[in-house]
Each structure stands twice: as structure tokens, then as C-alpha cells.
Amino acid sequence: MTSAAPGSAPEQGRSEFGVALFLGALGVLVIVEALLLPDSLIARGPVGPAAVPVVVGSLLVIVAVLLGVDVARCGRGEPEGGEDVELAGGSDWLTIGLLVAAFAANALLIEGLGWPISGAILFWGTAFALGSRHYVRDAVISLVLSVGSWYLFVLGLGIGLPVGILRGIL
């Protein structure tokens, strides 16, 4: 008996099984870590901090099992046709670099300037990287989003985000 040629049916499913195994392992890890979380003193109601991670981990395990069954039954995913995406084109490294710079600026500035300002820089930088050239409008929207999300986290969820240089104003 001869071995299968590269790219033939017996060899094609290996990577899909790897993805299923990775998703299953990730789901189990999320569930185990969620169950090891200590009880929170700020938990409100019967739902503790482990509820969402357990649900997400369980969904990961279910998807992994379904993917493994599909691959075992010779199911294959279709390559995406791409409606308005040129599949032959390369990556836009300038856009990726600008997005990385916006996230890095947020990470570096959040403690000193606080979330309302570093978040606004993040939102504005992301809009700029993705092609928006309405600088003033984007700055106003970014500031409203960052201050609004700060209030949502602080007042609505009880999670303290750094306020930075706006301490006493917000």
C-alpha cells in the first residue's frame, strides 16, 4: 500500500482536527480557570464572576466537538469568496502599524492621562488608521465615547477606570 500524495483527502483534515483540539483545550482551560476564581466581595446577586467564563468555555468545547465531528465526516470549509475584498492582495502594513500605535499609546498613557483621554486617543487613532479624515468630528465622537464608557464602567458597573488628569472634574 502506498502513502497518500500531499494534499490528498487523508492528509487534508489534519489541520482542522488541530483547530478542533485547540478550541477544546482552550474551552477546558477557560472552564477550569473560571471554577478556580475566588468568590468576589462585590458580586451582586446569585451570578458570580465565574458564570460568563463557564458559559464561554462550554461553548468553546461544544464548537470543538461539532467541528471534530464535521471534519471526521469529511466536511470541508469553503474559502471565502470576498465580496469587496481582494483576496490576492497583501496586507496593508501601514494600517496595521497605525492600529498598533493607537493601542500602544493607550496602554502607555492610560495611567498618567486616564481612560477618558487615552481612550479618546485610541478611538481617534483607530478611526484615522481605518481611513476617516474628519479630524474634528472624529475627535468629538472619540471624546464622547471615552467619557461615556468611563461613566458606564464607573457608575454602571462599579469598575474603577483610571481618571488621570481629569480627577476632580469627572
Side-chain angles (χ1 to χ4, degrees):
M1 181 175 222
T2 62
S3 64
S8 64
E11 201 173 279
Q12 282 181 332
R14 290 183 187 165
S15 64
E16 286 97 349
F17 279 123
V19 171
L21 182 65
F22 173 74
L23 286 175
L26 184 63
V28 169
L29 176 69
V30 168
I31 292 169
V32 168
E33 289 294 322
L35 295 176
L36 294 176
L37 283 173
D39 289 335
S40 176
L41 298 176
I42 62 169
R44 297 178 185 167
V47 179
V52 172
V54 167
V55 170
V56 170
S58 300
L59 290 174
L60 282 170
V61 170
I62 290 169
V63 167
V65 169
L66 292 174
L67 179 61
V69 168
D70 183 54
V71 171
R73 296 175 67 199
C74 296
R76 298 284 179 257
E78 288 183 28
E80 186 174 337
E83 231 175 80
D84 58 348
V85 177
E86 185 181 334
L87 297 176
S91 298
D92 184 2
W93 291 107
L94 177 61
T95 300
I96 294 171
L98 289 171
L99 287 170
V100 168
F103 279 93
N106 182 46
L108 294 173
L109 298 174
I110 194 167
E111 285 297 323
L113 296 180
W115 170 254
I117 294 177
S118 71
I121 292 169
L122 171 68
F123 296 144
W124 186 89
T126 301
F128 179 81
L130 295 176
S132 178
R133 295 300 179 255
H134 300 278
Y135 305 123
V136 175
R137 182 192 70 185
D138 292 343
V140 170
I141 291 171
S142 297
L143 195 59
V144 168
L145 279 174
S146 64
V147 170
S149 62
W150 183 82
Y151 274 117
L152 174 73
F153 274 88
V154 171
L155 299 178
L157 300 174
I159 299 172
L161 293 177
V163 70
I165 61 174
L166 297 178
R167 183 176 315 280
I169 298 173
L170 294 178

